[in-house]
Amino acid sequence: MLEVALAQLDAVAERLALDPGIHKRLRQPQRSLIVSVPTLMDDGRLEVFTGFRVQHDLTLGPTKGGIRYHPGVNLGEVTALAMLMSWKCALIGLPYGGAKGGICCDATRMSQGELERMTRRYTSEILLVIGPDQDIPAPDLYTNEQTMAWMMDTYSMHRGITTPGVVTGKPLLLGGSLGRAEATGRGVYYVVKAAARDHDVPMKGARVVVQGFGNVGAVAAKLFYEEDCRVIAVSDSKGGIYNANGLNIAQVLAEDAEGGSVTQHRDGDRISNEEILELECDILIPAATEGQITRKNADRIRARIVAEGANGPTTPEADQILAAKGTTVIPDILANAGGVAVSYFEWVQDLQQYFWHEHQINERLSEVMISAYQRVVALSRKEQVDLRTAALMLAVKRVADGKRLRGLYP
Ligand code: GLU
């Protein structure tokens, strides 16, 4: 993943004729911290997990980015994701640099007690580098509001001051924001709607396929369903379901809330996570994890618009194949930026201790997403490049301009 992120940066640096010194600086994360996270397990054993927090770039403000709990977490992945966060924040104009963190663990096999102890120890190990004006974590894969509540509490207990602004994606009661839980999926929905209009795809009846039914996919599926699109297939880690006439997403969500899997839904045929990507549809949302559309299956993708709900779901080889076929790919740093956009709103509300109405949040989110989408489309037309290249050009230029203005210390 890091190789891909670096190759993308190198290509864009060349297009922008970036100053070689600034290019070199952007290739390296500014700070990387690796910590061991000793955790007492329920059976009395002691497990030592490895945790990371990487701050890619601090030019435009404090750093921002999620924390993931996943067996695939390693320094390269976290570094790549931190870099993506720098571009994502810059693209939508937030006053942040990018960061990412994570723990290599299988959260699905851990109890709440184990997760709490691990989260608290991890937080205390990275305490020196986080803070509301320093680096602000948020949820990502297999972390949620509860994880953020534990992180906020651990930080606050160490400092002796309740500090809601140290994390975003918290429960509402502890300084979270209305609309944050839905924000990433809602942002995907806003940009897809704009892209569908540009490509003359009517939303009513549009065939939508969503891979991944978590924070991003489930919300996006719900919003498309409510817009009278035909959501023909959805999946989670256990597999998917397909119904050419459209699934009743309200019902799938209700069943899912009872702790099941979308595969238990009766009114559709079982389909695998690989097959779901290859269904003929108007809109495909890969909202599960990275590396899903590769040179092996890109040729068989039959969607008109692909909107990357996940970070890094399409490999560069696949990008080229899709571009040659005329598929529009709305890149991750644009399509899924709604999460960090509302994280920013949450942080602003925490710092001001003044909270907004949900309609204000959604309106501002829509403004941020649509204006970024329009800037990306305009540049892609002007430069005759795909949307990912255009988005990266805008983002990298903004960070590079910031670096140039601040100069080199000492
Ligand atoms: N984890 C989310 C992302 O990848 C949100 C990060 C944030 O809100 O800081 O964009």
Side-chain angles (χ1 to χ4, degrees), residues 113-139:
E114 290 169 343
L115 287 169
E116 175 169 359
R117 291 190 291 275
M118 181 179 77
T119 301
R120 288 188 182 279
R121 182 60 187 251
Y122 169 69
T123 308
S124 61
E125 293 294 341
I126 64 165
L127 204 88
L128 284 174
V129 301
I130 61 171
D133 50 8
Q134 218 175 334
D135 180 12
I136 305 116

Side-chain angles (χ1 to χ4, degrees), residues 61 164 214 248 268 296 320:
N248 181 338
K296 292 204 184 106
Q320 283 181 1

Side-chain angles (χ1 to χ4, degrees), residues 53 63-68 81 84-85 88-89 94 96 99-100 136-141 143 167-169 180 184 215-216 309-311 332 336-344 346:
R53 185 71 184 170
T63 46
K64 189 86 193 76
I67 305 272
R68 58 170 59 181
L81 290 165
L84 275 188
M85 285 308 301
K88 198 184 294 187
C89 293
L94 306 183
Y96 292 137
K100 199 84 181 190
I136 305 116
D140 198 79
L141 285 184
T143 53
V167 289
T168 59
R180 175 61 186 87
T184 315
N215 286 342
V216 186
N311 288 317
D332 44 12
N336 72 33
V340 74
V342 178
S343 273
Y344 167 61
E346 178 174 333

Side-chain angles (χ1 to χ4, degrees), residues 205-275:
R207 293 158 306 165
V208 181
V209 170
V210 184
Q211 186 202 40
F213 211 68
N215 286 342
V216 186
V219 173
K222 173 174 157 267
L223 294 171
F224 287 115
Y225 173 74
E226 288 170 359
E227 183 86 21
D228 285 336
C229 297
R230 243 188 309 153
V231 182
I232 59 171
V234 297
S235 69
D236 58 28
S237 59
K238 300 200 174 63
I241 37 162
Y242 166 64
N243 183 334
N245 298 321
L247 295 158
N248 181 338
I249 295 297
Q251 207 179 329
V252 178
L253 280 164
E255 290 160 7
D256 193 62
E258 285 163 17
S261 153
V262 299
T263 55
Q264 285 161 356
H265 186 68
R266 291 272 159 260
D267 194 19
D269 301 324
R270 286 291 295 266
I271 186 168
S272 74
N273 259 309
E274 291 75 42
E275 287 163 342

